[in-house]
């Protein structure tokens, strides 16, 4: 019975550490959120050229435009915008990675 009592805290610690999100995952989520917000700001009903969309995207804080393809938002194919964002998170002493 005593052995079980000694193993219980170790088991809880092991299971608890597996559930914690790593700082790398948090940074990825932060970068993904910036990209999602940029997409929401760029999406609109008014027809725009690819140049206008690229210029608008480059003005968003935390977003670097890598490539813009397509001609206008009114065309059937639309516009593809490839952006680079970054995210950061605090890496504490209990970080899994």
């Amino acid at each position: 019975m005593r052995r079980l009592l000694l193993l219980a805290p170790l088991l809880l610690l092991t299971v608890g550490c597996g559930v914690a999100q790593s700082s790398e995952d948090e940074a990825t989520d932060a970068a993904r959120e910036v990209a999602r917000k940029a997409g929401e700001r760029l999406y609109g009903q008014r027809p725009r050229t690819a140049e206008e969309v690229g210029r608008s995207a480059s003005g968003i804080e935390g977003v670097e435009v890598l490539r813009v393809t397509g001609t206008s938002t009114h065309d059937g194919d639309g516009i593809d915008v490839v952006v680079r964002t970054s995210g950061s998170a605090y890496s504490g002493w209990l970080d899994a990675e």
Side-chain angles (χ1 to χ4, degrees):
M1 184 65 169
R2 228 176 212 194
R3 289 183 185 166
L4 290 176
L5 289 175
L6 293 175
L7 289 176
L10 180 61
L11 181 63
L12 287 174
L13 181 65
T14 304
V15 171
C17 288
V19 174
Q21 188 175 16
S22 72
S23 60
E24 184 177 321
D25 291 340
E26 289 179 24
T28 301
D29 290 344
R32 189 174 289 129
E33 182 66 17
V34 170
R36 186 188 63 76
K37 287 181 180 180
E40 287 177 354
R41 285 186 58 189
L42 293 174
Y43 183 79
Q45 298 299 320
R46 183 177 65 87
R48 295 187 292 173
T49 64
E51 184 179 337
E52 291 173 330
V53 172
R55 192 176 305 118
S56 295
S58 66
I60 299 173
E61 185 177 339
V63 172
E64 178 185 349
V65 177
L66 299 178
R67 182 178 54 223
V68 179
T69 58
T71 55
S72 76
T73 58
H74 193 62
D75 290 343
D77 293 336
I79 295 175
D80 292 324
V81 181
V82 178
V83 297
R84 177 185 303 170
T85 64
S86 64
S88 61
Y90 177 71
S91 178
W93 66 273
L94 192 56
D95 195 0
E97 294 184 19

